[in-house]
Amino acid sequence: MPNNTYQDALNRLEKIGKLADINEEVVSTLMYPKSTLTASLCVRMDNGSREYFTAYRCRYNDILGPTKGGVRFHPDVNQQEVEALALWMTIKCAVVDLPFGGGKGGVTVNPKKLSPMEVERLSRSFIRAMADFIGPNVDIPAPDVYTNERIMGWMMDEFEAIKRMKTPDVITGKPLSLGGSVGRGDATGRGAYLCIKELEKKNGWNPEDKTVAVQGFGNGGYNVVKLLQKDGYKIVAISDSKGAIYSDKGFDVDSIYHAKQESDKVKAVYCEHSVCEQVEHDRLSNEELICLPVDILIPAAMDGVINSDNIDDIQAKHIVEIANGPVVSDVDDKLKEKGITVVPDVLSNAGGVTVSYFEWVQNRNGISWSEEEVHERLKKRMVEAFNQVWEIAEENDFSLRESAYTLALRRIENAIEAHGTQKYFSR
């Protein structure tokens, strides 16, 4: 994520705030993170040496509730990235009406170069540094890039050891055996899928007639196209960090996922039982995939992939963002002019934080919901949020991004005004 991403996020916030006639005091409040903690984590390596890693945790805004957001382990993590992600999480939680503010954390590290035991020590060191900055009623971490449920289990265990009490609600995205929730694994992709199904209803299209390209075949990208394929959508292009495959005949998603788990590469194959056969396909770059003439483009990998360099070449009719910030703010207006519908990340990838909320609720109440109940609760919240965003767009001739931000900012505005703004105190 480039260093100007946070400024780009602020520019978009300020622009939409003015467009939606949001109280300037509210927008001004959201221009600054409430608090960001930086720490140096000392980790004993397997060879006996000590290494130091820079860690961050941002609690951006907690007017609607305790902050919530993932922790990522990645070599490009920096303060600007963490604060941008925490701002987006603030907006996201408000869009789907969760009683949370936005938070985010990260460690500047390449976890692929660490042993499993070194990753565990790093995870526990992160919690020791952040133990007084997080908590079930203050800030609740979750998995993100290169972190997973096992790492969340280590983090929860370390927090409980420090506090000398059981606190399963301090972390979400945990293993089921440690208080995790069913339905959390595919929640991000399922949330995006539910948004696409609402688009389908609004436009009255037939799934069998629609082509889909997904850039990024991780958890979110895989799960959304898996669900779409079951409904008849044709998945014609898939990519990972190494490149893309394309076939106008479409691919079998599960076969490609199976091959990727075996080889760590996206391969154009069809698998029946344990036998996989290569199917006819073209090799593309990730940049070429972004510009394919498909009905639905799903950027599910990196930020900033749709920008001023390629905006004129974008041919997709609909863009559904699973990655955080895949479209830079400078091209928002151009996409609107081209008639391309963009379902923004603050809505379409909100399934993950929504089911994290469900996990938090279950932990706090000592109950467990079935997978069917989790799916139904997620569907209800995502569909309701989508239709609220759609209605604002229809009434004001806004893009869906402008509408989603408007919905979120109005909810935050109501909470801030309840405490009193300049207008109240100057009467």
Side-chain angles (χ1 to χ4, degrees):
M1 187 174 284
N3 286 339
N4 65 355
T5 299
Y6 181 47
Q7 187 58 53
D8 189 60
L10 293 177
N11 292 343
R12 179 177 275 154
L13 169 69
E14 192 169 27
K15 179 180 177 181
I16 298 177
K18 290 179 180 177
L19 177 70
D21 195 28
I22 300 298
N23 188 319
E24 289 184 10
E25 191 171 334
V26 174
V27 176
S28 178
T29 298
L30 291 173
M31 298 294 282
Y32 302 94
K34 181 174 182 178
S35 52
T36 303
L37 178 60
T38 304
S40 295
L41 309 184
C42 180
V43 177
R44 180 75 69 181
M45 309 304 282
D46 290 346
N47 65 6
S49 67
R50 294 188 183 199
E51 295 286 342
Y52 289 85
F53 303 92
T54 305
Y56 307 92
R57 185 69 189 176
C58 175
R59 301 195 314 234
Y60 202 91
N61 184 280
D62 61 2
I63 189 69
L64 296 178
T67 52
K68 183 83 187 72
V71 179
R72 57 178 52 186
F73 290 172
H74 195 278
D76 294 334
V77 166
N78 57 56
Q79 184 170 332
Q80 294 94 334
E81 175 192 55
V82 168
E83 291 178 346
L85 291 164
L87 169 56
W88 288 330
M89 185 61 82
T90 302
I91 301 298
K92 187 186 305 181
C93 290
V95 169
V96 289
D97 202 20
L98 300 180
F100 286 146
K104 208 73 178 185
V107 180
T108 309
V109 61
N110 184 352
K112 294 181 179 180
K113 294 185 177 181
L114 302 184
S115 72
M117 292 184 70
E118 288 168 342
V119 173
E120 180 180 3
R121 295 185 202 116
L122 178 69
S123 304
R124 292 180 180 276
S125 181
F126 178 85
I127 291 300
R128 288 195 296 274
M130 304 293 171
D132 294 329
F133 199 69
I134 66 172
N137 300 305
V138 180
D139 178 46
I140 305 107
D144 202 276
V145 176
Y146 292 139
T147 58
N148 55 32
E149 63 176 27
R150 186 184 299 277
I151 289 172
M152 295 303 106
W154 290 332
M155 288 185 173
M156 182 187 73
D157 182 65
E158 190 68 23
F159 185 86
E160 290 180 340
I162 292 168
K163 300 298 183 180
R164 297 181 182 274
M165 64 177 69
K166 285 295 181 182
T167 54
D169 49 343
V170 70
I171 298 278
T172 61
K174 307 179 295 294
L176 291 178
S177 59
L178 297 177
S181 174
V182 293
R184 178 64 180 83
D186 70 350
T188 300
R190 186 173 292 274
Y193 162 78
L194 291 168
C195 288
I196 293 170
K197 295 301 287 183
E198 289 306 300
L199 273 181
E200 178 186 310
K201 293 177 184 176
K202 301 295 184 188
N203 291 280
W205 67 48
N206 182 3
E208 284 81 5
D209 298 333
K210 298 302 174 183
T211 56
V212 180
V214 59
Q215 188 222 17
F217 203 51
N219 178 278
Y222 162 64
N223 280 299
V224 66
V225 293
K226 176 183 177 180
L227 291 166
L228 289 173
Q229 185 176 55
K230 286 181 178 179
D231 286 353
Y233 286 85
K234 186 185 292 185
I235 315 303
V236 298
I238 295 171
S239 78
D240 64 5
S241 60
K242 301 177 183 69
I245 53 176
Y246 170 78
S247 171
D248 59 6
K249 296 178 182 178
F251 294 114
D252 179 68
V253 171
D254 278 330
S255 294
I256 294 173
Y257 185 75
H258 171 77
K260 181 172 172 60
Q261 299 309 108
E262 294 286 325
S263 65
D264 197 31
K265 295 179 181 177
V266 169
K267 296 180 178 180
V269 295
Y270 174 75
C271 300
E272 187 170 358
H273 304 297
S274 61
V275 178
C276 295
E277 297 180 357
Q278 183 165 313
V279 299
E280 186 177 343
H281 69 284
D282 295 323
R283 297 292 307 187
L284 304 175
S285 67
N286 270 283
E287 292 74 19
E288 289 173 319
L289 180 147
I290 288 290
C291 300
L292 286 172
V294 292
D295 295 298
I296 302 171
L297 171 65
I298 305 175
M302 302 296 294
D303 67 290
V305 296
I306 298 175
N307 50 57
S308 57
D309 292 335
N310 62 12
I311 183 61
D312 291 333
D313 299 320
I314 300 298
Q315 301 180 72
K317 297 180 179 67
H318 301 85
I319 298 173
V320 180
E321 300 178 338
I322 289 185
N324 290 303
V327 176
V328 301
S329 65
D330 288 349
V331 302
D332 283 345
D333 291 342
K334 184 73 172 180
L335 287 168
K336 189 175 179 181
E337 289 171 12
K338 293 181 71 169
I340 298 173
T341 301
V342 180
V343 184
D345 51 0
V346 294
L347 172 60
S348 53
N349 73 13
V353 70
T354 300
V355 178
S356 276
Y357 164 64
F358 296 160
E359 181 177 334
W360 181 74
V361 169
Q362 291 171 81
N363 292 157
R364 292 174 74 85
N365 289 279
I367 59 175
S368 295
W369 296 335
S370 68
E371 187 170 53
E372 182 181 3
E373 188 171 3
V374 169
H375 287 169
E376 281 302 313
R377 288 175 181 269
L378 174 62
K379 181 178 180 179
K380 181 177 185 299
R381 197 168 287 262
M382 292 298 300
V383 168
E384 186 173 301
F386 184 95
N387 283 291
Q388 288 171 333
V389 168
W390 187 272
E391 185 177 332
I392 293 171
E394 293 280 283
E395 289 176 354
N396 299 277
D397 193 28
F398 284 177
S399 69
L400 293 184
R401 190 187 310 281
E402 291 165 345
S403 303
Y405 270 69
T406 299
L407 177 62
L409 290 172
R410 285 176 181 171
R411 285 175 170 154
I412 295 170
E413 181 179 50
N414 289 339
I416 290 176
E417 288 183 342
H419 287 292
T421 59
Q422 182 182 13
K423 182 179 179 181
Y424 171 80
F425 288 111
S426 61
R427 287 188 299 182

